[in-house]
Amino acid sequence: MQENDQTPHSSIQDEESFRSAVVDFLEENCKQIGKSESGLDDDPERVKECKSFQKELFKAGLAALSYSKEYGGGGLTKKHQELFDEIARDWRLPNGPLYISHGMCLPMLDQYGTDEQKNTFMKDCISGEKIWCQLFSEPGAGSDVASLSTRASRDGDEWVISGQKVWTSGAHYADLGMVVARTDPSLPKHKGLSMFIVDFTDPTVEVKPLKQISGGSGFNEVFFNETRISSNRLLGDLNQGWNLAVSMLMFERVSIGAGGGSLTADRTPALIELAKTLDKNSDPCIRQMLSDLWIREKIRRFIGQRVRDSAAAGLVPGPEGSIAKLNGSLLARLFRNASMEIVGTSGQAWKIGDDDAEKWAIGCLAASGVSIAGGTDEVQRNIIGERVLGLPKEPDPFKGASWDSVPRN
Ligand SMILES: Cc1cc2nc3c(=O)[nH]c(=O)nc-3n(C[C@H](O)[C@H](O)[C@H](O)COP(=O)(O)OP(=O)(O)OC[C@H]3O[C@@H](n4cnc5c(N)ncnc54)[C@H](O)[C@@H]3O)c2cc1C
């Protein structure tokens, strides 16, 4: 493994000592903290648990391993992070509420932030002290997110943001958000957007949780009621927000499809255990399903490896992020079908307090969301069609027209 001058712990530079440092840490911290596999990430107890776990990880120099030490990272290499992730697959890390902060917002800060923004925000993001959310979707702009209406108008040294977002995961426990807003309505829809960093403790930011079928409230409506932010909270260049949004969505797709999130991690071993416990492992149909899933999980690893290798080579994720995401969402549905086949009715109706049954039911109910979050399966197929297969772009009768001249609801 390559050494890195910025390494904070010279003893964990080489692979063997790094591996044992990670295993020691996980053994010490995950058994106690990671016990609760069931439950939802929006549960305040889970958020607290996540923050204290991340604090320990940060103190051990094992958080955000490949990010610069100057900004609170581990100062190691992407290879170290890969090794960490590989080892960590055998543990339940209670860090679900940091999924967006670290999967999407952190790489954006690192790539597009000014030195001042990196100094102000990265360390607290890495240590889990502050949690971030991302705000793209609106009631009138989901798949066609470039048509969004939230406005940011300049007033002296400040930006004033007004509008509504929806489906904002984790906004109810987030401290900060990355918001895409329209800064120039006279430009075509993709050209007049910018991205901003907004403080969620500002009283003009109103967060209203949405109740989901799974019983939790993982996402929210967010209203910006003339929220004033300083001009140094613009992320990237003015009116270049679409490029940033595309980068961020690709980080998200890679995270969902290849990053091993709770609904897309390798879960066949847990299902095999479940089938054994319920005495269903000799059922020929269940055996077929389990073998099929296991093979597909191996394929997902290869896709993930390819995506991570190109990121390690310094490339911004391209359409391979869409391939990873689409594959991850198909896998989540196959897993759902297999787990429901094994657990039967207790996967849909369970006794209060039966944490095990609740875990499978929540996994089942949440699986469909994977094919919508970060761009739907259809949108990923459109991207693959255009950018990988060279098929013609979708027709757009308003191509090149200014956003404010296009009719909308
Ligand atoms: C679990 C989860 C978490 C989320 N978290 C966030 C978040 O943190 N922040 C955020 O901003 N958003 C978030 N979202 C919102 C998500 O990005 C949107 O739901 C998604 O982009 C789809 O938009 P929509 O719901 O408005 O559906 P629509 O865009 O209205 O799509 C409706 C249907 O039409 C299809 N469709 C639309 N356009 C096309 C096309 N051109 N070709 C073919 N089919 C098409 C879609 O595939 C879909 O089936 C989250 C969603 C989920 C499920």
Side-chain angles (χ1 to χ4, degrees):
M1 186 161 290
Q2 212 182 4
E3 293 203 352
N4 185 322
D5 289 337
Q6 288 179 308
T7 303
H9 306 280
S10 50
S11 61
I12 61 172
Q13 280 179 9
D14 69 278
E15 186 167 334
E16 209 178 314
S17 48
F18 176 72
R19 190 180 277 277
S20 68
V22 174
V23 170
D24 287 351
F25 177 85
L26 294 173
E27 272 178 353
E28 197 180 322
N29 293 279
C30 289
K31 275 187 183 149
Q32 308 124 23
I33 306 170
K35 249 198 308 186
S36 73
E37 274 186 49
S38 59
L40 299 155
D41 284 345
D42 57 294
D43 175 348
E45 277 308 307
R46 276 199 113 180
V47 175
K48 231 164 86 187
E49 198 176 65
C50 164
K51 282 195 164 195
S52 69
F53 170 79
Q54 191 64 25
K55 197 170 165 186
E56 292 305 314
L57 192 72
F58 177 69
K59 280 203 296 205
L62 292 172
L65 286 165
S66 64
Y67 287 86
S68 161
K69 198 185 161 200
E70 188 188 348
Y71 300 121
L76 294 166
T77 65
K78 288 213 159 78
K79 279 277 163 213
H80 284 90
Q81 186 64 57
E82 241 177 65
L83 190 54
F84 179 96
D85 294 342
E86 189 191 307
I87 301 166
R89 275 194 200 117
D90 294 334
W91 273 268
R92 280 278 162 198
L93 273 59
N95 56 2
L98 286 171
Y99 189 60
I100 290 175
S101 284
H102 288 181
M104 294 137 228
C105 299
L106 185 58
M108 290 298 288
L109 276 174
D110 190 49
Q111 191 165 336
Y112 296 101
T114 59
D115 285 347
E116 187 203 350
Q117 288 168 344
K118 289 182 185 182
N119 275 318
T120 310
F121 297 115
M122 278 182 70
K123 189 166 161 211
D124 282 350
C125 177
I126 289 172
S127 69
E129 182 66 33
K130 303 268 188 218
I131 299 186
W132 291 64
C133 61
Q134 53 160 353
L135 303 101
F136 288 75
S137 310
E138 298 184 0
S143 298
D144 183 17
V145 70
S147 68
L148 61 82
S149 307
T150 293
R151 286 293 313 272
S153 317
R154 189 71 188 234
D155 183 18
D157 231 12
E158 293 180 322
W159 288 97
V160 184
I161 304 187
S162 302
Q164 183 197 343
K165 298 287 178 180
V166 73
W167 311 127
T168 313
S169 304
H172 51 310
Y173 52 76
D175 305 284
L176 290 140
M178 284 186 183
V179 181
V180 190
R182 189 158 304 282
T183 34
D184 190 343
S186 70
L187 292 174
K189 65 178 179 181
H190 293 98
K191 301 224 160 121
L193 298 169
S194 302
M195 197 177 278
F196 296 94
I197 296 170
V198 177
D199 188 338
F200 267 49
T201 60
D202 187 314
T204 62
V205 179
E206 203 182 334
V207 177
K208 293 189 178 170
L210 294 162
K211 196 78 178 165
Q212 289 158 229
I213 191 173
S214 58
S217 294
F219 29 48
N220 306 268
E221 292 179 298
V222 178
F223 298 85
F224 297 104
N225 302 306
E226 302 199 353
T227 303
R228 289 186 167 267
I229 55 169
S230 148
S231 58
N232 63 6
R233 295 292 170 95
L234 171 71
L235 185 64
D237 293 332
L238 185 63
N239 293 328
Q240 291 302 309
W242 180 246
N243 296 339
L244 272 75
V246 169
S247 284
M248 196 163 182
L249 282 166
M250 277 304 172
F251 285 127
E252 179 171 14
R253 287 163 192 165
V254 170
S255 251
I256 294 174
S262 62
L263 288 172
T264 52
D266 284 1
R267 297 182 299 166
T268 310
L271 271 190
I272 293 173
E273 277 309 306
L274 183 71
K276 264 192 214 156
T277 313
L278 299 178
D279 210 14
K280 293 196 178 171
N281 54 345
S282 52
D283 179 318
C285 295
I286 288 175
R287 290 161 70 95
Q288 289 286 317
M289 277 188 182
L290 290 172
S291 306
D292 187 38
L293 258 178
W294 183 81
I295 292 165
R296 288 170 190 271
E297 282 183 346
K298 295 289 158 228
I299 295 171
R300 199 262 318 283
R301 280 201 183 195
F302 291 129
I303 295 174
Q305 189 62 48
R306 186 174 154 217
V307 172
R308 282 191 294 273
D309 282 350
S310 74
L315 304 172
V316 174
E320 67 271 22
S322 293
I323 295 173
K325 205 262 146 165
L326 185 56
N327 186 62
S329 85
L330 297 175
L331 202 49
R333 290 206 293 281
L334 280 175
F335 182 88
R336 172 196 61 197
N337 297 348
S339 64
M340 288 303 103
E341 201 63 46
I342 296 169
V343 292
T345 49
S346 65
Q348 278 127 57
W350 65 98
K351 284 195 189 120
I352 300 291
D354 184 348
D355 287 353
D356 220 29
E358 184 186 345
K359 177 182 77 183
W360 295 109
I362 287 174
C364 163
L365 294 171
S368 301
V370 182
S371 62
I372 302 172
T376 64
D377 287 359
E378 289 76 21
V379 165
Q380 306 315 319
R381 290 194 183 97
N382 282 342
I383 295 171
I384 294 165
E386 284 169 26
R387 296 184 54 192
V388 180
L389 306 181
L391 298 174
K393 273 183 177 292
E394 282 189 276
D396 178 0
F398 299 107
K399 192 172 174 358
S402 68
W403 176 83
D404 54 8
S405 69
V406 176
R408 63 181 53 79
N409 291 330

